[in-house]
Amino acid sequence: MNRIRAFLPAALRTIGRRSLLKATAALSLAGLAPKVLAQAPKVPRGTLSAAAVADIQETMDGHVASGFLPGTVWAIEHDGELHVGTAGTFELGSGRPMARDTIFRAASITKPLTAAVAMMLVEEGKLTLDGPVDGLLPELADRRVLRALESPLDDTVPAERPITLRHLLTMTFGLGAVMVYPPVHPIQAAMREAGIEPGFMLPQLDADAYMAALGALPLAAQPGSRFFYNNGLDVAGILIERAEGKRLGAVMAERLFGPLGMKDTGFVVPADKLDRLPVQYGPDFSAPRAIKPFPAAEWIDFGRTPPLESGASGLVTTVDDYLQFCRMMLNGGTLDGRRHLSAASVAEMTRDQLMPAHKADPLAAFFLSEGGGGWGLGMAVMTKKVQPWMTPGRFGWDGGYGTSAYTDPARRTIGILLTQRMMDSPAPPVTFTDFWSGVYRAIEG
């Protein structure tokens, strides 16, 4: 626990173990467009380092043997060359071996897919990026805003501007994870009581009830002024539903999963595929580094259609399915000769949209990749190389259920790591850092 606390800002080092879990739960759930990704400079075509790839396998096998990790599946694609690896089993220390087609709970790597579908609707004129969303989301019209984050709920001022889709996708619309633990602000308690607080448990309200609950609360900040993680992508998913007149999963299947061949991705695991969904594990604070199963009956059942198909964190997927999405984004919106998104939309999604004031906010620091990242539309965008793998222009995100997926256009590289061990600290788990350091050794020789 002391090692975990060392990663935290001084103001947060008083967090208790259970409060730290709540802080981490929020993780799961941070102008002119630049040149399009299709024009990114090509690196010389090469091969993955066999020694580095073998090191990744050995490292992941070691994490399984130590009991830190039940199992994992990963993929590295570098300039068209693909390596897929597996380690461990469906249950801690036993069960079926992990397989390439294992289905994982995606958590927050859902967010980029929601943003992509939203941009498809923008291209068709069904949504606008910078126009008010009030017409489809009347719950967000004429908002009141807390005078200060610590204010009581009735100490408000009028919103200075309407909420837009850009605000939702950049998570600056005014409400989301308030990274202060233990919770001290009235808005934090109000979000929890309303059932819309970000956390490992996905929202248990349907779309209309979710919007009613959110609309009954004041915003925590003026639209566009501060970065509050997570809820913006759930609201964006509901906006998509109302624009299309069908549930988010149906829209995604029609526009994204079907066209990209993502046959095992969705918001529910069909009965005939449930044997491919491994046990989910999370922190057990009864012992250092211990984890415990989170059975569906006590947590969330991905074998049943959820009340809200969460555009922030609700998908399940496989490594091959998610590769298809990443390939499309890497290729500037095309895959196998078919265009799915315009190159301009991909460029807009993958440029840093946060202002210096957003990044200076200490409550945003959890989501800005150690100071090396910003936020585009539905995904993180690297801006500084504070770690060997943080190439400027690299984009993607991590999921609190134990997933990580990024695309590096400058190196023509995609990396995906899928595990079923929840994050248990605001710092990246060792499995993430080991994987990404191995990926960049593999592509750089």
Side-chain angles (χ1 to χ4, degrees):
M1 184 65 184
N2 290 335
R3 182 177 64 83
I4 292 174
R5 287 162 64 92
F7 286 97
L8 299 177
L12 296 175
R13 289 178 185 166
T14 59
I15 295 175
R17 291 185 296 179
R18 295 188 181 277
S19 295
L20 179 59
L21 175 58
K22 292 182 179 179
T24 307
L27 293 166
S28 74
L29 300 171
L32 294 177
K35 291 183 179 179
V36 299
L37 294 181
Q39 297 172 346
K42 288 271 286 183
V43 295
R45 189 172 184 87
T47 58
L48 293 168
S49 163
V53 168
D55 284 347
I56 293 173
Q57 182 71 57
E58 182 178 354
T59 299
M60 293 302 165
D61 286 340
H63 288 312
V64 170
S66 73
F68 182 84
L69 191 67
T72 178
V73 179
W74 66 90
I76 310 166
E77 186 162 281
H78 173 52
D79 207 19
E81 180 185 355
L82 175 64
H83 167 77
V84 177
T86 68
T89 52
F90 271 46
E91 300 177 45
L92 187 63
S94 64
R96 294 171 51 196
M98 280 289 169
R100 181 166 174 166
D101 68 349
T102 299
I103 297 171
F104 290 87
R105 301 157 185 87
S108 284
I109 65 171
T110 298
K111 289 176 171 67
L113 281 75
T114 301
V117 173
M119 292 304 293
M120 292 176 182
L121 299 186
V122 170
E123 291 179 8
E124 295 176 8
K126 295 182 177 180
L127 295 175
T128 62
L129 196 53
D130 293 306
V133 298
D134 301 1
L136 291 170
L137 298 174
E139 299 92 340
L140 297 185
D142 302 320
R143 298 312 310 277
R144 303 293 297 182
V145 182
L146 293 177
R147 192 177 301 276
L149 183 60
E150 62 271 18
S151 295
L153 299 184
D154 59 357
D155 183 13
T156 64
V157 297
E160 296 172 356
R161 61 190 63 86
I163 293 169
T164 69
L165 175 58
R166 189 186 301 274
H167 291 147
L168 298 177
L169 298 181
T170 57
M171 296 188 290
T172 60
F173 85 102
L175 205 58
V178 178
M179 301 302 290
V180 177
Y181 293 94
V184 295
H185 300 315
I187 190 65
Q188 294 177 278
M191 289 184 69
R192 181 176 63 254
E193 292 167 7
I196 61 171
E197 181 187 38
F200 285 135
M201 177 69 76
L202 296 177
Q204 298 301 294
L205 305 171
D206 66 27
D208 290 344
Y210 182 99
M211 289 306 305
L214 189 149
L217 297 179
L219 299 179
Q222 290 287 344
S225 67
R226 297 186 74 169
F227 179 94
F228 292 118
Y229 184 67
N230 197 71
N231 293 64
L233 270 295
D234 274 338
V235 178
I238 295 168
L239 179 65
I240 291 168
E241 291 188 344
R242 292 186 179 179
E244 290 288 81
K246 59 184 76 172
R247 296 203 75 182
L248 181 60
V251 180
M252 285 187 159
E254 179 183 301
R255 292 177 170 273
L256 203 61
F257 307 151
L260 295 182
M262 300 170 68
K263 56 185 173 54
D264 293 318
T265 301
F267 290 100
V268 63
V269 181
D272 61 351
K273 297 181 180 181
L274 277 172
D275 63 335
R276 292 162 52 196
L277 181 71
V279 175
Q280 181 72 44
Y281 287 83
D284 178 357
F285 290 128
S286 65
R289 292 167 55 95
I291 58 176
K292 64 180 181 180
F294 276 59
E298 299 175 14
W299 175 52
I300 187 166
D301 188 353
F302 280 88
R304 297 177 181 271
T305 301
L308 177 71
E309 295 181 333
S310 169
S313 302
L315 287 174
V316 295
T317 194
T318 65
V319 72
D320 281 298
D321 276 12
Y322 210 86
L323 266 170
Q324 288 291 89
F325 173 74
C326 293
R327 288 166 176 151
M328 182 270 289
M329 294 293 292
L330 177 63
N331 292 328
T334 66
L335 186 68
D336 299 328
R338 177 178 174 182
R339 179 160 294 283
H340 303 274
L341 273 173
S342 72
S345 289
V346 175
E348 189 69 7
M349 292 174 66
T350 58
R351 73 173 179 90
D352 181 17
Q353 309 237 352
L354 297 187
M355 298 295 103
H358 295 133
K359 297 180 182 182
D361 186 339
L363 299 187
F366 285 89
F367 308 103
L368 299 182
S369 304
E370 303 173 64
W375 198 262
L377 302 180
M379 65 189 73
V381 180
M382 298 302 107
T383 59
K384 298 177 185 177
K385 193 170 184 176
V386 300
Q387 294 287 358
W389 53 87
M390 290 185 187
T391 306
R394 177 177 178 259
F395 58 85
W397 195 223
D398 306 309
Y401 297 161
T403 58
S404 184
Y406 287 85
T407 299
D408 185 339
R411 287 169 170 74
R412 302 289 298 175
T413 298
I414 298 165
I416 301 169
L417 177 70
L418 303 179
T419 82
Q420 85 270 41
R421 178 185 171 127
M422 292 177 180
M423 296 174 69
D424 57 9
S425 164
V430 65
T431 45
F432 285 18
T433 55
D434 283 350
F435 174 71
W436 287 113
S437 60
V439 167
Y440 278 75
R441 287 196 303 272
I443 68 175
E444 293 172 356

